[in-house]
Amino acid sequence: MQLLEIDVNMFRNHINTKFKPHSLLNIITGKNAQGKTNLIEAIFFNLTGYSYRANSDKEVINWNSDYAKVTTVISKNNIDYKQSIVINKDGKKSIFVNNVKKKIRDVRSCVVLFTPNDLELIKGSSTARRNFLDKEAGFFFDKYQDCVCQYNRVLYHRNHLLKNTYDKKSHLELDAWTNQLVSLGTDVLLQRFEILKAIIPIAIKWHSIMTKDSEKLEIHYLSSVEIEGALNEFELKSKFLNALKHVREKEIKKGYTVIGPHRDDLIFLVNGKDVKIFGSQGQQRTVVLSLKLALISLYKNNYGLSPILLLDDVFFELDEDRQEMLLCQIEKGMQTFITTNNFKASSILKDCSEYIVENGRLSLIS
Amino acid sequence: MKHIISPVDRLAEELSKLPGIGIKTARRIAFYLLNEPSQVAKNLASVILEARSAIKYCSICGNLTEKDPCSVCSDPARDKGVICVVEYPKDFIAIEKTGQFSGVYHVLHGTLSPMEGIGVDDLNIKNLIKRLKQGKVKEVILAMSSTVEGDTTAMYLSRLLKDFKVKVTRLAYGIPVGVDLEYTDEYTLSKALMGRHEVDE
């Protein structure tokens, strides 16, 4: 997949930014607070239908405008088409492909994004790691998305019941919500295992290449339910159900659901030690990079999608070996956008276009 | 807004409280009623009042009816041994339209939904138990919608009915008739796959 044209309108500080990107490498330079990241965000917004930075997608609209619009011309399997996404002040998003209105779900494309914030994946709370599973690794897994959505709905109902209306008479009602939670939660778990089974070996492979076999990465799923030894769906369900029975009193006291996939976590071990606690900044970054490279392989091999790579302020912060590793991937034909305030970027990289962003305006340097 | 006469506004506001009617549609209806001869408005008003005062809940099944018990519950041709439990009166109409069902109904008037504060006591469940205790029922069909709330309500009822010697069934999940397979979402399709059955000769 490749972007042939990008046209950003009223998106944050970009009033009207239009350019034809290089087929492989695009370096976007500029001083701080000029709109480099905004451009990356705009591309991401066009391709996925949501912003990875904003709390509410409405925030991307320029202060002096009622709407924001990002249009791209995309080439996929040698067919070109125009994709625009518009968001208005009410937060209503519309997406058009060749001027025909479409559902976001049907047109979203594959993007791998790497930003400094991704270190949260290691350092941050378990929410960041669940989001990685749900929003990045499972993004194209529609059945998984539906399942997580339904699970969250049941969870919400169940928490309401526990918090507000539960009394001794309603134990049968709580049982019904518990059963639903278990049946959907088991589905979520099984699908997470499948995603992890696909992604973990690739991440480990990348990690050992990058560390030249000197470090060994392990990734484990940390379930809030004791699921050790559960061999199939049925056993998993009964373990989950039993665990919920054990914590029922506690749940009634606390007023919310204390165990389940919504409390689960991932743990990353390097040479047997938890990298969140004992890892250096560099080690943490390497783990995140391995995960991102694994995502690229996952999209390519399992889903047959060729992604677009967006690197926001992370490329030149890597050491030379890792930069080369990434470049090697990019040269295999992956269109990439890199932001940096390193103005000598193009001297390191040969075949690329370099742009400078000044106050929301983009111009080509070379 | 000061140029719009307040009774029109009030009418539109009342109309917009109805389900499925937004403020623009409400205004259109309001202006329509004012433009037509006054008899149209009088007829509509009297029909609404009449319906409101004449219609009550059937003491057996909980459906809306003019006379109690309702026409289905008092029909001798209906099989009283099979009860189809539905969420709302509109679901009763949907199933009745199929012409496939000759049993009787039970209307819950909602689903379990703690989010909206709807619990067991807010649904018409006690009457269902009363009907089952009479011992004439052989089968209960749970015809709830295939939503999280509908499924949970069905699950709750099936547990509740375990103590009675009745067969409890649930409507099948699957692909809507006349719909292309490719347009079915993955979750429905996977449920349909799980619920597949052998082709009868």
Side-chain angles (χ1 to χ4, degrees):
Chain A
M1 189 173 97
Q2 194 188 329
L3 300 180
L4 303 176
E5 247 180 77
I6 299 169
D7 184 1
V8 182
N9 284 291
M10 298 299 174
F11 191 97
R12 298 216 190 245
N13 71 342
H14 287 271
I15 306 296
N16 185 1
T17 297
K18 197 171 176 181
F19 69 110
K20 287 185 177 163
H22 190 275
S23 63
L24 279 181
L25 201 49
N26 295 275
I27 315 282
I28 301 159
T29 59
K31 290 181 181 153
N32 288 336
Q34 300 300 308
K36 300 188 294 289
T37 299
N38 293 349
L39 207 56
I40 295 284
E41 187 188 14
I43 296 170
F44 187 89
F45 189 62
N46 178 272
L47 296 176
T48 61
Y50 74 96
S51 158
Y52 66 91
R53 281 167 87 203
N55 289 322
S56 152
D57 286 340
K58 281 187 283 188
E59 289 169 22
V60 304
I61 301 170
N62 181 276
W63 285 104
N64 301 317
S65 172
D66 295 329
Y67 72 97
K69 182 178 180 186
V70 186
T71 305
T72 54
V73 177
I74 302 173
S75 163
K76 225 186 226 175
N77 306 326
N78 294 325
I79 299 167
D80 299 353
Y81 54 93
K82 192 172 103 183
Q83 175 164 316
S84 344
I85 180 162
V86 187
I87 180 165
N88 67 19
K89 271 254 145 81
D90 305 325
K92 198 171 168 256
K93 283 183 279 193
S94 318
I95 198 154
F96 301 89
V97 173
N98 292 336
N99 300 324
V100 180
K101 198 168 176 178
K102 297 274 177 180
K103 276 191 200 155
I104 288 175
R105 192 175 173 148
D106 296 334
V107 300
R108 75 212 147 144
S109 330
C110 179
V111 182
V112 172
L113 170 81
F114 191 8
T115 78
N117 269 349
D118 281 321
L119 275 187
E120 286 294 300
L121 200 53
I122 308 290
K123 291 193 219 167
S125 69
S126 57
T127 314
R129 289 177 286 281
R130 283 192 302 271
N131 276 346
F132 172 76
L133 278 177
D134 296 352
K135 284 198 168 171
E136 292 187 70
F139 190 54
F140 291 92
F141 210 172
D142 282 342
K143 193 182 147 202
Y144 177 62
Q145 295 290 325
D146 288 345
C147 207
V148 169
C149 184
Q150 290 207 16
Y151 175 82
N152 286 338
R153 201 175 162 86
V154 171
L155 183 68
Y156 197 46
H157 274 302
R158 192 170 184 272
N159 285 346
H160 256 271
L161 180 66
L162 283 166
K163 192 174 176 196
N164 302 327
T165 48
Y166 185 80
D167 58 42
K168 287 233 164 65
K169 279 188 302 184
S170 42
H171 72 275
L172 215 53
E173 193 182 343
L174 185 59
D175 279 351
W177 287 108
T178 304
N179 281 336
Q180 278 283 64
L181 193 83
V182 166
S183 115
L184 286 163
T186 309
D187 262 3
V188 170
L189 276 178
L190 286 170
Q191 287 175 69
R192 276 193 188 161
F193 295 160
E194 219 162 281
I195 292 169
L196 287 169
K197 213 161 84 186
I199 204 167
I200 289 178
I202 318 174
I204 289 176
K205 198 188 87 199
W206 277 117
H207 191 266
S208 69
I209 293 174
M210 271 190 282
T211 57
K212 301 202 169 87
D213 288 327
S214 66
E215 291 178 0
K216 192 170 171 285
L217 173 71
E218 286 170 62
I219 304 174
H220 299 290
Y221 188 78
L222 219 65
S223 177
S224 54
V225 183
E226 186 64 49
I227 47 172
E228 200 100 344
L231 294 171
N232 53 32
E233 192 181 340
F234 181 75
E235 282 178 28
L236 205 58
K237 262 187 188 158
S238 73
K239 289 215 172 203
F240 193 3
L241 197 64
N242 269 332
L244 277 166
K245 263 182 205 151
H246 277 290
V247 294
R248 177 166 279 202
E249 287 304 315
K250 191 171 154 194
E251 287 191 322
I252 292 166
K253 209 185 267 172
K254 289 201 168 184
Y256 61 86
T257 307
V258 297
I259 54 168
H262 65 290
R263 309 275 287 190
D264 291 358
D265 202 352
L266 287 174
I267 185 166
F268 304 99
L269 303 177
V270 170
N271 290 341
K273 294 197 178 70
D274 188 346
V275 75
K276 179 178 182 178
I277 306 165
F278 302 106
S280 72
Q281 188 100 339
Q283 282 177 317
Q284 293 181 341
R285 209 191 296 271
T286 307
V287 173
V288 176
L289 189 59
S290 314
L291 287 171
K292 295 288 172 172
L293 286 168
L295 269 188
I296 295 172
S297 308
L298 180 80
Y299 288 159
K300 273 191 182 164
N301 305 338
N302 291 37
Y303 302 151
L305 305 159
S306 83
I308 284 181
L309 185 60
L310 304 175
L311 301 171
D312 186 13
D313 273 340
V314 282
F315 186 75
F316 291 97
E317 285 68 13
L318 298 169
D319 62 32
E320 274 174 29
D321 283 358
R322 286 170 176 68
Q323 282 185 13
E324 222 152 83
M325 190 108 42
L326 257 178
L327 275 183
C328 200
Q329 281 299 300
I330 293 164
E331 275 158 10
K332 281 183 196 159
M334 184 166 42
Q335 195 180 30
T336 303
F337 295 82
I338 297 175
T339 68
T340 178
N341 40 30
N342 178 345
F343 285 91
K344 289 174 190 152
S346 58
S347 60
I348 312 169
L349 311 161
K350 285 166 224 148
D351 189 19
C352 67
S353 292
E354 194 178 357
Y355 306 87
I356 185 160
V357 179
E358 280 167 311
N359 201 11
R361 280 167 205 276
L362 183 95
S363 37
L364 184 68
I365 309 175
S366 61
Chain B
M1 285 301 278
K2 65 180 178 187
H3 297 296
I4 296 178
I5 321 108
S6 63
V8 183
D9 247 2
R10 272 213 321 268
L11 176 57
E13 210 181 292
E14 285 301 317
L15 286 168
S16 71
K17 287 179 190 164
L18 301 175
I21 292 183
I23 187 69
K24 278 186 184 147
T25 314
R27 249 182 238 139
R28 209 159 71 211
I29 297 171
F31 283 120
Y32 168 83
L33 288 173
L34 293 169
N35 281 335
E36 291 296 296
S38 65
Q39 198 54 41
V40 173
K42 269 183 198 153
N43 280 348
L44 182 65
S46 69
V47 173
I48 292 173
L49 285 174
E50 206 179 287
R52 196 67 192 87
S53 63
I55 289 203
K56 47 194 168 236
Y57 295 121
C58 169
S59 58
I60 300 173
C61 70
N63 202 358
L64 298 172
T65 177
E66 244 179 305
K67 60 179 195 321
D68 188 17
C70 71
S71 56
V72 176
C73 290
S74 54
D75 186 347
R78 288 285 185 151
D79 181 0
K80 306 285 188 304
V82 185
I83 297 181
C84 178
V85 184
V86 294
E87 291 172 10
Y88 296 102
K90 64 182 165 63
D91 303 326
F92 150 79
I93 296 171
I95 292 184
E96 200 56 16
K97 262 191 187 162
T98 65
Q100 292 289 310
F101 183 64
S102 57
V104 289
Y105 291 89
H106 193 86
V107 185
L108 293 178
H109 293 284
T111 50
L112 291 176
S113 175
M115 234 191 265
E116 297 160 275
I118 301 172
V120 175
D121 295 338
D122 303 302
L123 303 178
N124 183 22
I125 290 175
K126 275 185 195 134
N127 274 340
L128 180 65
I129 303 299
K130 218 188 272 172
R131 286 172 86 177
L132 289 173
K133 276 185 182 155
Q134 289 164 0
K136 288 174 196 155
V137 180
K138 296 186 297 288
E139 182 179 354
V140 174
I141 303 169
L142 301 174
M144 270 97 243
S145 309
S146 178
T147 56
V148 158
E149 293 80 6
D151 281 341
T152 311
T153 311
M155 208 176 255
Y156 170 79
L157 285 177
S158 67
R159 289 283 294 275
L160 196 68
L161 302 184
K162 252 186 189 165
D163 304 338
F164 299 92
K165 279 184 185 133
V166 291
K167 185 169 142 194
V168 180
T169 54
R170 176 95 169 89
L171 289 189
Y173 296 105
I175 302 151
V177 178
V179 167
D180 272 346
L181 213 58
E182 58 172 331
Y183 291 115
T184 317
D185 69 277
E186 287 180 22
Y187 204 55
T188 309
L189 204 54
S190 71
K191 282 217 167 185
L193 245 159
M194 277 192 277
R196 69 187 185 276
H197 58 81
E198 217 169 315
V199 180
D200 301 326
E201 284 297 316

